[in-house]
Amino acid sequence: MYTHTCALRAALLVTSTLFTACLFTSGAYAQDTGTALPTVDVETSGEVTAGNPLAATSLSTDELKASNPASTDTAKVLTSVPGVSVNSGGGFSSMPTIRGLSEQRIKILVDGQPIDAACPNDMNSPLSYTMPQTLSSVSVIPGVAPVSMGGDNIGGVIAVSGPEPRFSTDGSLLLTGDASAFYRSNGDGFGGAVTLTAAGTNLSATYTGSYTQSDNYKGGNSLGTVRSTEYAKTDHALALAWQNAGGLWEIKGGYHFSPYEGFANQWMDMTSNTSWFVQGRYRGVFNWGNVDLSASYRDTDHEMNFLADKLPGDMPMNTQVHTFTSAAKFELPLSKRDTVKLGLEYHHQWLNDYWPPVAGSMMMGPNTFVNINQAHRNRIGAYAEWQAQWSDTLSSVVGVRYDRVEMNTGDVQPYGTSMMQMADAMAANAFNAIDRNRNDNNWNGSAIVTWAPADTVSIELGYAHKTRSPNIYERYTWGRGSMASRMIGWFGDGNGYVGNVNLKPERADTVSATLSVAPAPGLSFKVSPYYTHVDDYIDAVYVQDLLTPMGMPTDFVQLQFANLDAEFYGVDVSGEAVLAGTRENGTLVRASLAWVHGENLTGQLPLYHQMPLNAKLGVTYHAGALELGGELEWVDRKDRVDSRRNEPETASYALVNLSAAYTLAGWRLSVEAENLFDKGYYLPLGGVSLGDYKATGVLRPVPGMGRSINLGLSTKF
Amino acid sequence: MRMPPAFPKDRAPGRYTPGWGTGMRQSAALAGSLLLNLLLLAGVVAAMRGPDLLAPGVRSALVTIAITAQPKEASSPLAPPEPATVRQTAAPTPPAAEEHPAPVLLVEPGPAPVLVPAAKAPASAAEPQPAATALPPALRPAPLLPAEDASARIDAYRQQLWQRILAARPRAASGTGTVTIRFRIDRSGALVSAQVIGPSGQFLLDRMALQAVRRAAPFPAPPAAMGEAELTFTVPVAFHR
Ligand SMILES: [Cu+2]
């Protein structure tokens, strides 16, 4: 039986007053519709609910749209979640890292679909196909995420999606949407986004579109322009949905094009990225359970070369990827207490990566350099998960999941076989001589218990064993020449990487706890300590120092992907307090802190790119149409660095951001001063500034953005 | 524009010849899409034949409700409070199930028990506002006038019904909105029909609210004092953050 808890009592309190209201309204109403009962309130957040872990953080549409009117990088928006930081990439391609784990260690789902990397530098990360302004939900679930949320990851799940289909409620044509535009003074960035929905009772169509571009931004104080940080891109999608008593059918297609995106910390820039997709989904709710069937296809053409800052030079590199994903998921309520989730997923990735010869080049010719020849990575996954709602104050989720990953790739070839190309020529021969077929059988499990011993306290304990297989580049890149290997890698360190066909999947065991306390209305506090041990963590080992073609030493080394043992531990803390008024109309203070320690256990060394201790303190004031905000962001110095990669140390810094917004006649105008004091600082996870290095010969970490005055204008209709 | 990989003629094909690897890849993709298409097809079929997949009686009654709605309207004025009172006296011993929720009600704050159904309006008009508002909860189990007793019993039953829906409410959802469900029960408390009459505009919220009512059924048998017309209810389900 259900015990009466705070939430239930609150619901009753509210609704019992409605009972009286019904008394007066039911008179005429009851004649044709029956006796009106009071409203049943469903709290969709803040309750102890199986399958809704406390460790998960969701950002609402309003938070997304209001707090970042001038943001073009969805990953950067996620850094408002404690424990999430970003490895810098291009202007819209940062890679999120959760509790020290990043890249493919995190499963990123866009509208429920995974998007595979189509670049040896991970330039087109899944979130690069999204704009924060056109998303309507974002959730971040760290390492102990229930297995039903996705396999083939060890670091958690980030799920973002566009608007859910909306239908007319009264039979008339529903026309709704929003539009926004912004300008950023630093880099002369601007952009706009539109969401438009037209719907009847059963049919709904939603268009989302956006465009954004920016020049190179300037670092703070005297750090000057950061080269290779310009970008432009556009995304368009059309979603159709049809609902009837049998379910909800959706079909969505979209197109993405980026003509250029500079990468400050890569040797190459993106000179074209074209991607289109189509996906279908069916969802049904029946007495015996819920059904969710989906299929999607995506085709991506990616091209790299040098943008203006890295000229002179020419080195075309092309990547083509096709992916097909399908999933069948079932949610079966067995009793009021128990729900079972079953699912089957299939994911197919096909990848071709080749570098056409450069006319007149001794190094890059006479043949095409075949980096990856029609590799595939197929994954079939199945899971079973049991969710139990023991009472209003106790819930549990236990699941197991199996993923089989099958990979293979074709023969490769170097640019040529001259003396200067010997390293690659020999490596190609060796690569072509071995069997490259690899199959992994990966087991995953996750158990989460959430308990609220009192109205004001909730505790969650989680354990998970998660496995991820190597990606295509980790297993199948082979070039050992200096230049060829420096084209591989998403670390932003300028070093060369060589693939390793014998890599094993990485297996992580994570324990984590979350304590959530709300001692008084408007006051809440959350602490999440965690520990992760990774067997066969895919890192790299030193191979050799890289030399110039003349045999002179450089600042860079060559490494090869390798399995190591690693561990991560740390804590995320966040809290908020309403100082005056309410959360929506008053003064709110928020604070958060994150600390992570990542250790390479095999080498007894710090792991690469681990975010130093960082904290944020923000105040927002809402009074009717007026919103004011101030934020202080502090990041400690990074002195734990991976010496094998020549990872630079970075100094501590503090940034101040101020913002103001006013809503008038449905239009919201916002002004924001980012990095108000124009503080010059280096990004701890920014890598080294290769765009600057190529132009100046001086190697420095990538500087963060200096002061920027941002203007935003948005409206809803 | 784009240059495909150009292999030198003299290079021998490797292990990964198109015949083998591509074949496997394609067959895997084909198997996957076939599986999915089958499932999608099953979904379409399920939708076409929706009634069969729903609980027995539930869907067919969806049609019934539209029919019963009409007679109900007509019968209400024709069958004023009298029959209810008569039936009430005919069954003076209340079912145990009915007695149970009354104490639960008492611990709840607010004036919930004072709900008076529309059909009772003429009867309660005789003993108007003061009786309703002055009725202290503690007095409720005490003997009352037959009409009072019946109406209190019906109120208690409605409260009980509502409690069961509340207990079966969805646990989690994405999105906010209010869905109004109309449902009808029979004399045994079984659900005859349930449908969305006030959609939220969001498929999942509509369906989840409907499922809450379906899961809450069967309900306890309603008091005999309840007229036919009173066996239809509407309940709003509000999803909020
Ligand atoms: Cu690239």
Side-chain angles (χ1 to χ4, degrees):
Chain A
M1 275 306 289
Y2 288 97
T3 48
H4 287 231
T5 64
C6 169
L8 197 57
R9 277 200 297 272
L12 285 172
L13 196 70
V14 172
T15 50
S16 52
T17 50
L18 283 165
F19 238 125
T20 32
C22 289
L23 182 70
F24 304 106
T25 56
S26 63
Y29 201 56
Q31 292 300 315
D32 55 331
T33 57
T35 311
L37 296 177
T39 303
V40 171
D41 282 281
V42 181
E43 291 284 342
T44 59
S45 62
E47 260 189 278
V48 175
T49 305
N52 255 21
L54 283 182
T57 311
S58 298
L59 301 180
S60 72
T61 318
D62 292 342
E63 282 169 315
L64 277 168
K65 286 176 182 163
S67 62
N68 301 280
S71 178
T72 48
D73 191 342
T74 306
K76 274 195 190 129
V77 172
L78 295 177
T79 56
S80 64
V81 177
V84 178
S85 35
V86 292
N87 289 332
S88 300
F92 55 88
S93 303
S94 298
M95 228 351 150
T97 143
I98 307 178
R99 297 177 173 179
L101 294 161
S102 69
E103 306 296 332
Q104 276 91 32
R105 296 187 182 101
I106 301 171
K107 176 98 328 188
I108 300 179
L109 303 171
V110 177
D111 289 327
Q113 304 297 320
I115 300 179
D116 289 317
C119 167
N121 307 146
D122 251 359
M123 288 177 169
N124 38 25
S125 58
L127 294 176
S128 71
Y129 296 104
T130 66
M131 267 284 268
Q133 288 83 0
T134 58
L135 292 175
S136 68
S137 80
V138 169
S139 50
V140 178
I141 306 101
V144 293
V147 292
S148 60
M149 307 202 75
D152 204 27
N153 75 82
I154 62 171
V157 179
I158 293 175
V160 305
S161 33
E164 280 276 310
R166 283 273 176 173
F167 297 94
S168 166
T169 53
D170 55 6
S172 65
L173 180 71
L174 171 75
L175 276 176
T176 179
D178 54 63
S180 62
F182 71 86
Y183 172 76
R184 251 192 340 244
S185 70
N186 195 337
D188 267 337
F190 65 88
V194 177
T195 302
L196 187 63
T197 297
T201 321
N202 294 316
L203 199 62
S204 169
T206 299
Y207 164 80
T208 51
S210 63
Y211 177 82
T212 177
Q213 76 166 61
S214 173
D215 295 339
N216 290 340
Y217 69 77
K218 286 176 193 65
N221 200 5
S222 57
L223 293 177
T225 298
V226 183
R227 290 176 185 79
S228 302
T229 52
E230 73 272 49
Y231 62 84
K233 76 151 177 172
T234 185
D235 289 276
H236 303 269
L238 182 65
L240 300 174
W242 178 52
Q243 70 167 3
N244 64 8
L248 174 69
W249 277 262
E250 291 170 87
I251 185 154
K252 184 172 184 176
Y255 173 77
H256 161 103
F257 176 63
S258 168
Y260 60 91
E261 184 184 19
F263 278 76
N265 61 11
Q266 293 290 349
W267 295 105
M268 304 303 297
D269 296 312
M270 190 162 94
T271 51
S272 171
N273 195 71
T274 312
S275 187
W276 62 268
F277 70 91
V278 60
Q279 60 197 44
R281 190 174 186 190
Y282 165 78
R283 277 179 282 179
V285 177
F286 303 99
N287 278 6
W288 50 268
N290 300 357
V291 186
D292 183 346
L293 308 176
S294 63
S296 70
Y297 179 82
R298 181 181 279 271
D299 180 298
T300 304
D301 277 349
H302 175 76
E303 293 177 15
M304 291 195 284
N305 210 321
F306 305 120
L307 294 176
D309 290 330
K310 287 175 187 159
L311 293 173
D314 183 27
M315 185 182 177
M317 298 169 65
N318 301 332
T319 311
Q320 293 160 341
V321 166
H322 311 304
T323 52
F324 172 78
T325 308
S326 69
K329 299 178 184 179
F330 302 90
E331 196 177 324
L332 311 171
L334 298 186
S335 68
K336 266 185 186 151
R337 191 192 73 193
D338 306 307
T339 303
V340 165
K341 284 187 170 184
L342 301 172
L344 198 59
E345 290 173 18
Y346 174 76
H347 181 74
H348 162 74
Q349 177 190 13
W350 178 93
L351 186 148
N352 222 6
D353 193 315
Y354 56 92
W355 311 343
V358 177
S361 167
M362 295 271 285
M363 296 281 294
M364 295 174 281
N367 300 321
T368 293
F369 186 102
V370 180
N371 187 31
I372 305 279
N373 179 17
Q374 303 186 52
H376 70 81
R377 188 178 191 271
N378 294 338
R379 179 168 62 83
I380 191 150
Y383 65 82
E385 193 170 274
W386 169 49
Q387 297 187 346
Q389 188 75 41
W390 301 95
S391 73
D392 273 3
T393 57
L394 181 66
S395 73
S396 64
V397 182
V398 179
V400 288
R401 179 181 180 109
Y402 168 77
D403 285 286
R404 179 175 170 88
V405 178
E406 300 185 347
M407 297 170 71
N408 205 346
T409 186
D411 281 357
V412 297
Q413 75 173 12
Y415 277 120
T417 49
S418 74
M419 274 305 291
M420 288 171 78
Q421 299 159 328
M422 226 41 221
D424 287 336
M426 285 168 64
N429 284 338
F431 187 82
N432 290 340
I434 54 170
D435 178 12
R436 299 169 300 260
N437 187 38
R438 291 293 181 274
N439 301 322
D440 303 317
N441 298 300
N442 299 337
W443 287 94
N444 304 277
S446 170
I448 300 172
V449 178
T450 312
W451 178 47
D455 285 350
T456 53
V457 183
S458 311
I459 302 167
E460 183 169 274
L461 296 175
Y463 164 77
H465 177 82
K466 298 284 182 78
T467 311
R468 175 187 79 98
S469 278
N471 67 31
I472 286 175
Y473 290 108
E474 285 165 337
R475 252 184 184 151
Y476 294 142
T477 50
W478 52 274
R480 286 188 175 260
S482 165
M483 197 272 299
S485 66
R486 276 183 289 123
M487 297 298 109
I488 312 300
W490 34 90
F491 307 95
D493 57 1
N495 297 317
Y497 287 83
V498 184
N500 179 352
V501 81
N502 293 320
L503 281 181
K504 286 174 280 190
E506 46 188 15
R507 292 164 286 130
D509 289 281
T510 301
V511 283
S512 75
T514 302
L515 171 70
S516 173
V517 187
L523 186 65
S524 64
F525 183 70
K526 198 157 121 174
V527 190
S528 302
Y530 55 88
Y531 175 86
T532 300
H533 178 97
V534 190
D535 284 312
D536 293 329
Y537 181 78
I538 299 174
D539 198 293
V541 293
Y542 172 86
V543 176
Q544 58 175 324
D545 281 337
L546 290 177
L547 305 175
T548 65
M550 304 303 144
M552 301 300 287
T554 68
D555 293 312
F556 307 102
V557 296
Q558 188 177 66
L559 302 134
Q560 183 172 29
F561 292 111
N563 291 115
L564 307 172
D565 286 346
E567 70 176 8
F568 300 83
Y569 51 83
V571 63
D572 299 332
V573 183
S574 62
E576 64 172 51
V578 178
L579 294 188
T582 64
R583 213 169 177 283
E584 288 74 27
N585 205 9
T587 309
L588 177 74
V589 176
R590 286 194 222 213
S592 65
L593 178 144
W595 173 69
V596 62
H597 181 100
E599 186 86 10
N600 169 350
L601 294 175
T602 307
Q604 300 294 321
L605 283 168
L607 283 169
Y608 183 66
H609 267 191
Q610 296 297 310
M611 189 68 182
L613 179 69
N614 61 92
K616 279 183 191 140
L617 178 66
V619 185
T620 55
Y621 170 77
H622 282 211
L626 179 70
E627 301 161 50
L628 298 174
E631 189 187 46
L632 178 69
E633 185 183 345
W634 174 81
V635 179
D636 199 5
R637 71 188 296 253
K638 184 185 72 174
D639 48 11
R640 296 189 74 250
V641 291
D642 187 349
S643 52
R644 304 165 315 153
R645 285 175 155 103
N646 300 327
E647 181 183 2
E649 294 192 2
T650 54
S652 70
Y653 60 88
L655 307 177
V656 175
N657 306 318
L658 293 182
S659 66
Y662 195 82
T663 307
L664 187 67
W667 290 82
R668 183 180 188 273
L669 177 70
S670 64
V671 184
E672 202 181 11
E674 232 182 305
N675 192 358
L676 178 70
F677 298 115
D678 200 31
K679 168 79 184 169
Y681 67 103
Y682 292 111
L683 294 163
L685 308 186
V688 293
S689 199
L690 298 174
D692 292 329
Y693 177 73
K694 240 181 148 175
T696 63
V698 178
L699 191 63
R700 62 171 182 173
V702 174
M705 195 186 271
R707 177 169 50 231
S708 180
I709 305 299
N710 307 335
L711 299 175
L713 185 64
S714 64
T715 186
K716 264 192 228 183
F717 50 87
Chain B
M1 182 92 166
R2 185 169 301 109
M3 202 176 302
F7 286 92
K9 295 276 189 291
D10 57 344
R11 192 179 58 75
R15 273 171 222 274
Y16 190 78
T17 55
W20 184 76
T22 319
M24 198 182 85
R25 176 166 51 77
Q26 280 170 350
S27 58
L30 196 69
S33 55
L34 263 178
L35 168 84
L36 196 95
N37 285 322
L38 271 173
L39 287 165
L40 277 172
L41 193 69
V44 174
V45 172
M48 300 300 192
R49 309 177 44 199
D52 300 328
L53 283 178
L54 302 180
V58 171
R59 180 55 193 264
S60 50
L62 234 156
V63 186
T64 329
I65 185 127
I67 302 160
T68 44
Q70 295 303 95
K72 180 198 71 182
E73 251 179 285
S75 67
S76 303
L78 292 178
E82 272 82 349
T85 332
V86 170
R87 232 177 280 139
Q88 177 54 49
T89 38
T93 41
E98 225 182 300
E99 209 48 56
H100 178 67
V104 177
L105 269 178
L106 300 185
V107 301
E108 303 307 335
V114 303
L115 176 79
V116 178
K120 291 271 169 229
S124 51
E127 283 190 337
Q129 298 296 71
T133 39
L135 185 71
L139 284 181
R140 294 204 59 252
L144 293 162
L145 293 173
E148 275 297 311
D149 193 21
S151 100
R153 202 161 302 202
I154 291 171
D155 289 346
Y157 178 75
R158 288 190 184 123
Q159 179 76 293
Q160 194 182 358
L161 209 69
W162 183 80
Q163 292 279 6
R164 292 186 70 120
I165 298 170
L166 183 74
R169 74 192 184 282
R171 285 278 153 183
S174 62
T176 57
T178 302
V179 187
T180 306
I181 306 294
R182 178 167 60 193
F183 64 100
R184 185 166 173 80
I185 58 172
D186 65 13
R187 285 276 159 213
S188 73
L191 190 68
V192 175
S193 68
Q195 68 182 139
V196 176
I197 56 160
S200 64
Q202 293 159 84
F203 174 80
L204 284 180
L205 297 191
D206 290 357
R207 293 286 131 179
M208 285 165 80
L210 192 59
Q211 284 308 117
V213 173
R214 288 182 176 160
R215 267 201 311 274
F219 301 100
M226 285 179 82
E228 279 300 315
E230 293 173 87
L231 297 180
T232 301
F233 303 87
T234 62
V235 58
V237 180
F239 295 85
H240 42 79
R241 277 177 70 85

